[in-house]
Amino acid sequence: MSVLLETSLGDIVIDLLVEQAPKSCQNFLKLSKIKYYNYAPIHKIQKNFSFQTGDPIGPDSKEIDGGSSIWGVLEGPKKRTYTAEFHPGLKHSEMGTVSMATVPVAKDSDDRIAGSQFLITLHEDLEYLDGKAAIFGKVVEGFDVLEKINEAFVDDSGRPLKDIRIRHTVVLDDPFADPVGLVGPTESPLPSKAQLATVRIADDEEFDDEVDEETLDKLRREREAKAQATTLELIGDLPFAEVKPPENVLFVCKLNPVTQDEDLDLIFSRFGKILSCEVIRDKTTGDSLQYAFIEFENQKECEQAYFKMQDVLIDDHRIHVDFSQSVSKLSDSWRTTTNKKRAGHAGGFGGISSLEKKRQYRAAGYAGPRSNGLGIYRKEGLGEAGVKVRNDTTDVVTRPGGTAGIEEEKEAEITKIGIVDDDGEQRIYIWPSHETHLRLA
């Protein structure tokens, strides 16, 4: 009764204690059989204590549900967990002890429930876990892999900086009959989108043996920043993911709230020509947010200001100066230019030929009856559609079949209604007997 875990750091063979913990063993065996653990990350490592895995997606995903027992997979969420077994003779006394992660039942703290997550100890004599994690197996091969996992670089939450994943599971011996409805896959399934989205540094990416933790963390942050930039590019907030901030713009912070744009312009202009100087303010109150952006004509002048103005006292506040990392101005310019190009090379509105900007039609200055192509008919001297309009707000629109509904806002006597066929399309004339305000019903 054994299971082979093929991980990205090597193989681990687990012997199961089916007599002492039959339910946990059956759960683990059947989840392994349906490849439930494939591509599951080792999401928490506590050095010289234990590591935890078994959640197919991992805790960093929005789609996380913590995993499910085999009965929950087959029968639904109501059976996602089961009551774990605790054999009094099983203790976390050896390195490589395998146990189900459990939580207490709200109604009775003596009972604890488990799902799919399990942990493997990385040290001996871990009595703290007794009664909290339900033992169901022990590692018999792959202790070198446990040592590698124990030495992995992790962040503050214990997650490895470079992914460690279960790539495949192989059931070597299974004494339990399959539950009703269980069907194993014919081949190993590919990782889901949700699983791929949690990758920091791929488990198969090669690094030099001398790479330190700081370098790995830097690479992880660069990967995350690139992924975020690509997302902004896709939604149109950046012209392209690799866009770099301008090298001639300074970021100035820790300003006194009374400091004005003109003050900074005067102080920083001694280094060269300033193209723009703006203290950023609250849009609602207009109060200074105590930081500003100063754009110089060239990079050299910007660098001189950076070296000379650090920690300078302005209005009794010692300022901090740095090179700007903002690309919002570049993005605004790019969007404006793009929209202009669209409008110049395509009809319609915003470069989309099927859209048209809302128009306002006025009676003043119009000479001669004609259709404007939008179904609004005009007659000289009578305003829009022959209606003598108050405030110039009424449009009478062509209706197929020569009918139109009219609602009176003010009582009026209509003396004549005429229907004229214009190029095969019927249009409506309305002549009120006195000035009134009419609109379509």
Side-chain angles (χ1 to χ4, degrees):
M1 288 70 75
S2 304
V3 173
L4 168 66
L5 301 182
E6 297 179 4
T7 77
S8 53
L9 293 182
D11 296 345
I12 299 173
V13 177
I14 300 173
D15 273 0
L16 303 180
L17 307 173
V18 294
E19 293 184 3
Q20 296 93 328
K23 196 160 189 177
S24 292
C25 289
Q26 183 184 15
N27 179 55
F28 185 73
L29 280 165
K30 301 309 176 183
L31 288 175
S32 299
K33 186 172 184 177
I34 65 172
K35 311 304 178 186
Y36 187 81
Y37 292 125
N38 278 30
Y39 214 68
I42 292 177
H43 60 262
K44 187 171 185 179
I45 299 175
Q46 295 174 281
K47 189 177 177 65
N48 296 325
F49 188 75
S50 69
F51 72 83
Q52 189 167 336
T53 183
D55 182 347
I57 301 177
D60 292 335
S61 173
K62 294 180 180 179
E63 301 180 28
I64 181 177
D65 62 0
S68 172
S69 70
I70 187 62
W71 301 283
V73 173
L74 298 177
E75 302 177 40
K78 290 185 177 180
K79 294 193 175 182
R80 192 168 66 89
T81 61
Y82 68 96
T83 302
E85 312 137 306
F86 288 89
H87 193 281
L90 298 178
K91 305 293 182 182
H92 292 84
S93 58
E94 298 179 1
M95 179 178 179
T97 301
V98 186
S99 51
M100 297 301 298
T102 68
V103 293
V105 178
K107 294 181 294 184
D108 186 356
S109 60
D110 291 336
D111 290 335
R112 300 179 72 90
I113 56 175
S116 65
Q117 295 191 42
F118 62 96
L119 55 90
I120 299 179
T121 58
L122 299 172
H123 205 269
E124 301 88 4
D125 300 323
L126 299 179
E127 297 178 358
Y128 172 81
L129 292 173
D130 294 341
K132 297 181 177 65
I135 298 173
F136 67 93
K138 58 183 180 179
V139 173
V140 292
E141 292 183 30
F143 286 92
D144 58 327
V145 178
L146 301 187
E147 294 287 354
K148 292 178 183 177
I149 294 173
N150 193 42
E151 297 299 324
F153 295 129
V154 297
D155 61 16
D156 293 338
S157 66
R159 181 181 172 183
L161 298 179
K162 181 180 178 180
D163 276 16
I164 305 173
R165 300 208 175 230
I166 297 174
R167 291 181 175 173
H168 194 61
T169 55
V170 181
V171 176
L172 302 178
D173 187 14
D174 180 5
F176 300 101
D178 291 341
V180 177
L182 186 146
V183 178
T186 56
E187 58 184 18
S188 187
L190 295 174
S192 66
K193 289 183 179 180
Q195 288 176 316
L196 292 173
T198 62
V199 173
R200 283 182 171 179
I201 301 173
D203 58 11
D204 57 354
E205 193 161 345
E206 296 297 332
F207 293 97
D208 296 334
D209 293 337
E210 302 300 322
V211 173
D212 57 14
E213 184 174 358
E214 183 179 353
T215 303
L216 280 175
D217 187 53
K218 181 181 178 182
L219 180 58
R220 176 185 62 80
R221 286 187 278 108
E222 288 175 352
R223 293 286 180 85
E224 290 179 351
K226 185 175 181 180
Q228 293 168 358
T230 302
T231 301
L232 292 176
E233 178 186 3
L234 291 174
I235 65 176
D237 275 4
L238 288 180
F240 50 92
E242 292 78 16
V243 64
K244 294 182 178 180
E247 297 179 335
N248 63 326
V249 179
L250 274 187
F251 169 73
V252 183
C253 64
K254 299 184 179 180
L255 294 172
N256 191 313
V258 303
T259 303
Q260 303 295 315
D261 299 358
E262 297 79 9
D263 302 332
L264 292 179
D265 190 291
L266 179 63
I267 294 170
F268 281 84
S269 61
R270 68 189 184 93
F271 298 103
K273 184 177 179 180
I274 293 178
L275 301 181
S276 66
C277 179
E278 181 183 8
V279 175
I280 306 303
R281 300 182 178 279
D282 186 281
K283 291 183 179 180
T284 304
T285 64
D287 296 336
S288 170
L289 298 180
Q290 298 179 259
Y291 68 94
F293 293 96
I294 303 174
E295 182 179 4
F296 287 88
E297 189 172 33
N298 58 60
Q299 180 183 349
K300 185 177 180 181
E301 295 166 351
C302 184
E303 290 176 350
Q304 289 178 348
Y306 168 75
F307 289 116
K308 295 289 185 180
M309 296 301 293
Q310 189 68 264
D311 293 327
V312 168
L313 206 62
I314 298 179
D315 292 331
D316 294 327
H317 276 228
R318 202 166 293 281
I319 67 170
H320 174 73
V321 180
D322 203 348
F323 293 103
S324 172
Q325 299 299 309
S326 172
V327 294
S328 62
K329 193 170 183 179
L330 290 176
S331 298
D332 290 341
S333 300
W334 168 75
R335 278 192 291 268
T336 302
T337 304
T338 301
N339 286 334
K340 284 182 178 179
K341 287 180 179 179
R342 285 179 176 175
H345 295 287
F349 180 59
I352 302 175
S353 58
S354 61
L355 299 181
E356 186 158 328
K357 191 175 183 180
K358 181 180 179 182
R359 302 180 183 180
Q360 298 291 336
Y361 295 94
R362 304 295 181 194
Y366 185 80
R370 66 184 183 89
S371 169
N372 60 15
L374 291 177
I376 297 177
Y377 197 89
R378 298 187 177 190
K379 185 173 178 64
E380 182 177 7
L382 293 175
E384 298 182 1
V387 180
K388 196 170 184 180
V389 182
R390 185 177 67 206
N391 297 330
D392 297 331
T393 57
T394 301
D395 286 345
V396 178
V397 183
T398 300
R399 299 291 179 89
T403 61
I406 296 179
E407 179 184 346
E408 299 182 0
E409 285 192 354
K410 181 178 179 181
E411 186 176 353
E413 181 183 350
I414 298 176
T415 59
K416 185 177 180 181
I417 297 179
I419 299 178
V420 178
D421 190 284
D422 182 12
D423 298 329
E425 189 173 20
Q426 292 180 329
R427 304 182 182 277
I428 301 169
Y429 283 81
I430 304 173
W431 288 273
S433 58
H434 60 273
E435 182 172 339
T436 186
H437 185 185
L438 303 175
R439 73 168 186 269
L440 286 176

